[in-house]
Amino acid sequence: MTFNPVDAWAPSNPKEEPNQACEVSRAKRIAQVAVAVIYCLCSAGVVFGYAAIKPVLVKEGVYSNYCQPQHVASRGQTCYEQEIRLNFMFAAAAVATNVCALPVGTVLDRYGPRLSSIVGSISLAIGAVLLAYAAQLPFDGYLSGYLFLALGGPFVFIPSFQLSNTFQNHSGLILALLTGAFDSSSAIFLFYRLIYTASNGTFDLQKFFLAYLVVPVFVFIAQIFLMPSKSYKTVGELTTYAEASSHGEEQAEWCNGDDERGNHAPENQRSSRESEDSEITSLLGHKGAGKQQRQEERKKAISGVWGALHGRSALQQIRTPWFVLVTLFTIFQMTRINYFVATVRTQYDYLLDDGNLAKNINHVFDVALPVGGVLSVPFIGLVLDNVSTPAVLALLVVIATTIGILGVLPYIWAAYANIAFFVIYRPLYYTALSDYAAKVFGFQTFGKVYGLMICLAGVLNFLQSALDAATHKIFGGDPVPVNVIMLAIVLVVGSALVGYVWQKSQFLARTELEHEAEVAAETSMPSTYGSR
């Protein structure tokens, strides 16, 4: 017997009626996007604001019972045992956030975005209650509560990606808004720390997390009364549905085959293409269907890789270099990102040999991280909607290399430049990953494929602990060797990814031209026969 964790990963039933955004009013779609951005801003990545809430946890005496009496001399100081447990809260939450992307994707693909988000709201509520009453519980409510907050974030955030199909000509901007909300959600704990300080500690953890229950309640109500129960589909997926309906199971099976484009019918079926387009217009049930199709055709032309693996099962997709290369890039780059977030102060403490400068840089970083997520939204949307996918990937590799070089320079200007690039690059990186997955793999299997990618990256993010240990035990606290090694690995893997995707985009472009030439030749044949 062999173990195959993705044995049941088959595409959804092609006979299942797809959900069309054009059947929903423009005002309601705008409201859906706006509400999703708001609740993602309050919940999606709130656990990544740990650096901001940690001083509050210390002042409230969380885990201080593990310290020896002589080490609890002043409120706000930590001992080694307390520090280890506090840091483990964040480490466990960060890994859980990424690992749970796979079950989130499975629930999303099978039951839809509404149920997924409701599960997320329940998890957020449980986390908030546990953290509010952690001091009175007979078990570790802080760790458990923080884990539930971490699990709730992806269950709310990942299902919101399908809202990029509400306005397909602006899908990049919508993805950027959602990812920017994710990055900026770390500011929730920053704001709480400021309120806590201003109130002299009277607005304690219990009051804050009880007040935070407003967020999961808001998410729950939004799912029941506003958000779609099924994911919005692209026009290309509606085309697949119409083709399956008109040609039967044989056509549906062909669409799931090994053809790289997954959108063109076999030679003997191309004559029915015109009638299928009419079916799509009827299926969409909207006068703007033709315009929406033209917008998606423009998007396909700009991307260069759109629909490359649409129609394949998730298992078929993950066996291709499209998945393997982007997953390797994600693993190493995500490890670099989280390693920097966790060690920014200690790195610059060594590089600049000045603890005060390192502390100031860390404070700037705490503020710049959420602010960068907001300011980068227009830039990211513009890039994803108007730049080809190979060029976007190349941009990621170039900026990652620049950050790597700046990160090993022992100069104050390099430190601030590094932070400036980093806080813009992080949301661009995560948005580009989801954009790549949607364009290459499609939303039919998006949850499983994207979830597996992030899950693998999350599991292997335990490499971060190894990097930290190597920095202190092998290199004597010098972060440069580890940063150079990671820079080299990301540069090699990233270059391989860019090269492969660019080559395939050229192949897809040639295939499209050949297909258009064949269709044009076949269209002219009836008039030729009529002239004889």
Side-chain angles (χ1 to χ4, degrees):
M1 179 180 290
T2 59
F3 173 68
N4 185 358
V6 292
D7 183 60
W9 287 13
S12 302
N13 187 351
K15 295 296 183 183
E16 179 184 353
E17 184 178 353
N19 193 22
Q20 305 95 44
C22 57
E23 291 183 341
V24 181
S25 69
R26 179 183 178 88
K28 185 173 182 179
R29 283 179 283 150
I30 292 175
Q32 288 174 339
V33 173
V35 168
V37 169
I38 292 172
Y39 64 58
C40 284
L41 181 64
C42 297
S43 63
V46 65
V47 294
F48 290 98
Y50 181 76
I53 199 174
K54 183 179 178 180
V56 178
L57 297 175
V58 174
K59 289 182 179 179
E60 288 293 305
V62 175
Y63 296 132
S64 61
N65 56 302
Y66 289 96
C67 297
Q68 297 298 323
Q70 63 269 23
H71 292 150
V72 195
S74 62
R75 192 167 182 255
Q77 300 297 317
T78 62
C79 65
Y80 175 77
E81 292 80 4
Q82 182 184 16
E83 185 77 13
I84 289 295
R85 285 167 174 79
L86 287 171
N87 289 342
F88 183 72
M89 277 180 60
F90 172 70
V95 172
T97 299
N98 294 320
V99 170
C100 81
L102 182 57
V104 171
T106 301
V107 173
L108 173 61
D109 288 341
R110 182 167 298 182
Y111 301 107
R114 175 176 292 170
L115 182 61
S116 300
S117 298
I118 288 175
V119 171
S121 67
I122 294 173
S123 180
L124 290 170
I126 293 174
V129 170
L130 287 174
L131 286 166
Y133 295 102
Q136 306 167 30
L137 297 175
F139 57 89
D140 191 345
Y142 295 108
L143 177 61
S144 303
Y146 214 69
L147 277 174
F148 272 102
L149 285 185
L151 294 173
F155 269 101
V156 171
F157 178 55
I158 293 178
S160 67
F161 287 162
Q162 52 88 23
L163 292 175
S164 64
N165 291 327
T166 54
F167 300 95
Q168 293 189 22
N169 205 36
H170 302 288
S171 61
L173 176 60
I174 295 172
L175 283 173
L177 284 169
L178 293 169
T179 307
F182 172 86
D183 288 307
S184 301
S185 62
S186 62
I188 296 297
F189 287 160
L190 175 61
F191 292 144
Y192 168 56
R193 189 186 72 188
L194 297 176
I195 295 172
Y196 178 86
T197 303
S199 67
N200 293 320
T202 57
F203 193 66
D204 59 15
L205 290 171
Q206 185 179 72
K207 293 178 181 178
F208 169 72
F209 282 109
L210 288 178
Y212 185 77
L213 285 171
V214 172
V215 174
V217 170
F218 174 67
V219 175
F220 184 87
I221 293 174
Q223 298 306 318
I224 298 299
F225 295 104
L226 178 64
M227 308 306 285
S229 60
K230 296 188 297 183
S231 297
Y232 289 129
K233 299 296 188 293
T234 64
V235 174
E237 288 170 318
L238 295 175
T239 303
T240 302
Y241 170 79
E243 290 175 351
S245 299
S246 61
H247 295 298
E249 290 300 321
E250 180 180 354
Q251 171 66 7
E253 290 174 2
W254 179 89
C255 288
N256 293 333
D258 292 333
D259 181 76
E260 188 142 14
R261 291 192 58 78
N263 291 322
H264 296 152
E267 191 71 31
N268 62 349
Q269 294 175 341
R270 284 181 182 152
S271 60
S272 65
R273 198 165 188 78
E274 191 172 323
S275 63
E276 287 167 3
D277 290 339
S278 299
E279 282 190 55
I280 288 299
T281 304
S282 176
L283 180 66
L284 289 171
H286 194 278
K287 293 181 179 180
K291 179 181 179 181
Q292 190 175 8
Q293 284 182 282
R294 288 193 298 273
Q295 290 175 343
E296 185 155 323
E297 288 299 324
R298 174 181 174 272
K299 180 179 177 180
K300 289 169 59 178
I302 292 175
S303 169
V305 300
W306 193 96
L309 298 180
H310 287 195
R312 293 194 188 188
S313 69
L315 183 58
Q316 290 172 323
Q317 290 174 343
I318 66 174
R319 288 174 171 172
T320 65
W322 291 97
F323 176 82
V324 174
L325 289 174
V326 75
T327 300
L328 287 174
F329 181 71
T330 302
I331 288 171
F332 291 110
Q333 187 57 24
M334 188 181 293
T335 300
R336 279 186 69 194
I337 289 174
N338 290 336
Y339 176 67
F340 183 77
V341 171
T343 63
V344 56
R345 181 168 178 173
T346 56
Q347 284 196 43
Y348 283 110
D349 195 358
Y350 184 94
L351 289 173
L352 302 178
D353 195 23
D354 190 321
N356 289 329
L357 282 178
K359 182 179 178 181
N360 292 336
I361 290 171
N362 194 25
H363 287 329
V364 170
F365 180 73
D366 287 341
V367 176
L369 192 61
V371 171
V374 175
L375 296 181
S376 61
V377 166
F379 162 72
I380 294 174
L382 188 65
V383 169
L384 296 183
D385 285 335
N386 296 281
V387 179
S388 70
T389 300
V392 170
L393 294 175
L395 180 63
L396 290 180
V397 175
V398 169
I399 299 178
T401 304
T402 303
I403 291 173
I405 294 173
L406 290 172
V408 298
L409 298 178
Y411 306 110
I412 187 67
W413 63 266
Y416 286 114
N418 189 23
I419 289 175
F421 274 106
F422 183 90
V423 298
I424 294 176
Y425 176 80
R426 184 170 178 261
L428 172 62
Y429 165 74
Y430 284 112
T431 310
L433 284 183
S434 58
D435 183 70
Y436 173 94
K439 290 175 179 175
V440 174
F441 305 118
F443 277 98
Q444 188 180 29
T445 57
F446 178 87
K448 299 183 185 76
V449 176
Y450 180 78
L452 179 61
M453 182 196 311
I454 300 300
C455 177
L456 291 174
V459 171
L460 293 175
N461 254 234
F462 281 117
L463 288 172
Q464 179 183 331
S465 299
L467 296 178
D468 204 14
T471 299
H472 290 91
K473 295 183 178 180
I474 299 177
F475 304 113
D478 185 359
V480 172
V482 167
N483 285 332
V484 170
I485 292 171
M486 292 300 296
L487 169 61
I489 293 175
V490 169
L491 181 59
V492 171
V493 175
S495 298
L497 172 64
V498 172
Y500 177 82
V501 174
W502 180 83
Q503 182 185 31
K504 287 298 183 181
S505 70
Q506 299 301 303
F507 170 78
L508 292 173
R510 287 195 301 270
T511 303
E512 180 68 20
L513 289 175
E514 291 172 1
H515 169 71
E516 290 177 355
E518 291 174 2
V519 171
E522 291 176 0
T523 303
S524 64
M525 288 182 68
S527 61
T528 302
Y529 291 138
S531 64
R532 290 183 178 180

